[in-house]
Amino acid sequence: MIDGRRPTRRGDLPPAESRRPRDSAGAVLRAVLDHGPIARSSVARVTRLSAASVSGVVGSLMERGLVREVPEAAGPPGIGRPHVPLDLAADGPAVIGVHIAVPRITVSLMDLRGRIVAQIQEPHGSTDPVSVIGAVAARVAAIRRRPGARGRILGLGVATGGWVDSPNGTIVEHPALGWRDVPVAAALGEATGLPVRADSNSRALLRGELLFGRVAGRARESAVHLFAGNVVDVAFATGGIVHQGPRSASGAVAHLPVEGCREACSCGRVGCLQAAVSERVLIRRAMADGLIDRPEIPALVAAAAAGSTGAVELLLERARLVGRAAALLLDLFDPEVLIVAEAGANQLPESLATLRAEIAAWSSAGAVVERVVCPSSFPGAVLGVSGGAVALDQIYASPLDLQARLKAS
Ligand SMILES: [Zn+2]
């Protein structure tokens, strides 16, 4: 991705895609996301589409307000300047992301570049699905009333832990919330009138990494994403495609046995990875030891950053446990990148170092761990990003189907 807003020139571009894209409008929109401001001729080169196809697709994208022409920036003398560069519309269409966690809901307004424009985060009083979905719908309505959101919302994405059947839009099972077969997409679609798509936490965040993450280029080759919050789950992608599985059940690593853990797990056994590293367990221990005064993971990370030895030790212990699971994943998949979304490793250098050291000790990856294992691109913001990434992923996959989807809903 090119920093700043200067137009992309030929020499800035990576080699063209090796395959012809499946959805040409999606490929053009992604090229503008990756390289904008960018001339039509450069879009054609990156996507391997003909100049005529690019021109036609750009016209349709401009009609829908997804892309627009920007004033040509003055380049250094002697260097060819691109003709009427294209970029994403900064105040153009947006999506709403919803994250449902054990203690709280997060509703965010996100632009096409994956930037959070506004966010509401609130604890839910009851974990009853009907009341939580009602509360989510009310927050979505509140965010849509904000001046910048009016008439811009293309879709709603929902992300949550546990087992989410994305094609059917249901939360099949979320043990920590006590949910089973909750038709979240249908319920929110009815309440909001928006097209809704749901997915698991880790798959949602991996979609965000593939679109606009710090290592998106490498992640599009192959990537594994490990999320460790209250819930632990995994997602993997090859060639930019996130694996869903025929029952959307891929990525369940919650019950991987962990040596020496005596915590009871929601599955009824003792010593599962999710029980060992869950935020609730960590927060309970930190509160009991007087390390934090409010029961939140950011408080523990802040205490560790401020030098609390007890807080650092708790987070390093978690990094070691997560590292063992990550080592297994690295050997199993041998991905180009392994992205770990864990609060400590994402925000404290010593946690990331411990995580990488543990992975190196338990996997056959050795020296490549340093390059392959990356922290999340969204430190401190994973809950705000995940739901929006689910909606954006669908828009970038086939942007010209949007109108049909909006009508159908
Ligand atoms: Zn278990």
Side-chain angles (χ1 to χ4, degrees):
M1 199 170 292
I2 306 301
D3 289 324
R5 301 285 80 201
R6 89 173 162 78
T8 297
R9 299 192 178 82
R10 282 177 71 89
D12 296 330
L13 298 177
E17 305 266 346
S18 52
R19 288 173 294 250
R20 280 195 152 257
R22 276 162 304 168
D23 183 293
S24 49
V28 169
L29 194 61
R30 276 196 307 277
V32 178
L33 168 72
D34 288 349
H35 310 293
I38 180 172
R40 286 173 177 78
S41 54
S42 301
V43 171
R45 189 169 155 258
V46 175
T47 58
R48 297 187 67 183
L49 292 165
S50 71
S53 318
V54 169
S55 192
V57 164
V58 165
S60 304
L61 293 173
M62 284 174 69
E63 262 170 40
R64 287 158 174 79
L66 292 163
V67 161
R68 70 170 168 218
E69 292 179 332
V70 294
E72 205 178 333
I79 293 178
R81 300 196 304 184
H83 303 290
V84 206
L86 303 163
D87 209 348
L88 298 174
D91 53 355
V95 295
I96 290 179
V98 170
H99 184 274
I100 303 172
V102 177
R104 70 183 72 84
I105 50 178
T106 306
V107 177
S108 55
L109 177 65
M110 191 186 258
D111 72 11
L112 291 177
R113 287 201 175 276
R115 292 177 295 216
I116 296 173
V117 180
Q119 182 169 302
I120 300 173
Q121 192 166 70
E122 279 171 21
H124 38 70
S126 142
T127 55
D128 167 63
V130 174
S131 75
V132 170
I133 288 170
V136 167
R139 304 301 175 276
V140 169
I143 228 162
R144 287 174 88 179
R145 282 194 297 271
R146 298 200 177 185
R150 288 213 180 100
R152 293 175 61 192
I153 309 304
L154 296 175
L156 180 74
V158 181
T160 188
W163 177 3
V164 180
D165 180 351
S166 194
N168 289 315
T170 53
I171 297 171
V172 180
E173 193 173 35
H174 193 312
L177 277 170
W179 290 12
R180 249 181 187 284
D181 296 320
V182 175
V184 69
L188 280 174
E190 194 174 322
T192 64
L194 291 168
V196 181
R197 186 191 190 203
D199 213 340
S200 78
N201 242 348
S202 218
R203 284 198 293 262
L205 288 168
L206 179 51
R207 293 184 197 286
E209 295 283 354
L210 294 173
L211 280 173
F212 39 75
R214 276 193 299 252
V215 288
R218 286 165 57 210
R220 288 174 198 175
E221 295 295 316
S222 59
V224 172
H225 187 278
L226 170 61
F227 174 85
N230 261 319
V231 167
V232 180
D233 66 349
V234 168
F236 70 97
T238 52
I241 308 289
V242 176
H243 179 75
Q244 198 85 34
R247 287 159 296 277
S248 292
S250 75
V253 289
H255 308 292
L256 199 71
V258 167
E259 231 172 278
C261 167
R262 289 177 302 280
E263 291 289 338
C265 180
S266 58
C267 69
R269 286 184 291 252
V270 165
C272 298
L273 175 66
Q274 184 164 286
V277 305
S278 104
E279 285 181 0
R280 274 184 304 175
V281 171
L282 209 63
I283 288 164
R284 195 185 67 217
R285 290 177 60 190
M287 291 292 282
D289 294 348
L291 301 170
I292 51 176
D293 53 12
R294 57 194 161 95
E296 290 171 7
I297 206 79
L300 182 62
V301 174
S308 156
T309 318
V312 169
E313 201 32 64
L314 269 185
L315 286 170
L316 294 190
E317 185 188 322
R318 190 192 205 204
R320 283 189 285 269
L321 290 169
V322 172
R324 291 202 197 174
L328 189 69
L329 294 169
L330 195 54
D331 283 348
L332 193 59
F333 292 99
D334 188 21
E336 188 62 34
V337 286
L338 169 65
I339 299 162
V340 181
E342 190 274 319
N346 289 171
Q347 289 168 86
L348 294 174
E350 61 264 54
S351 263
L352 180 60
T354 300
L355 176 84
R356 283 178 168 153
E358 199 71 9
I359 295 173
W362 287 82
S363 77
S364 61
V368 307
V369 165
E370 200 64 28
R371 198 178 75 88
V372 170
V373 177
C374 305
S376 168
S377 300
F378 321 112
V382 290
L383 304 185
V385 167
S386 58
V390 174
L392 283 183
D393 174 71
Q394 200 160 31
I395 288 166
Y396 279 96
S398 53
L400 299 185
D401 291 345
L402 284 173
Q403 247 67 6
R405 286 170 54 225
L406 283 168
K407 269 193 203 118
S409 71

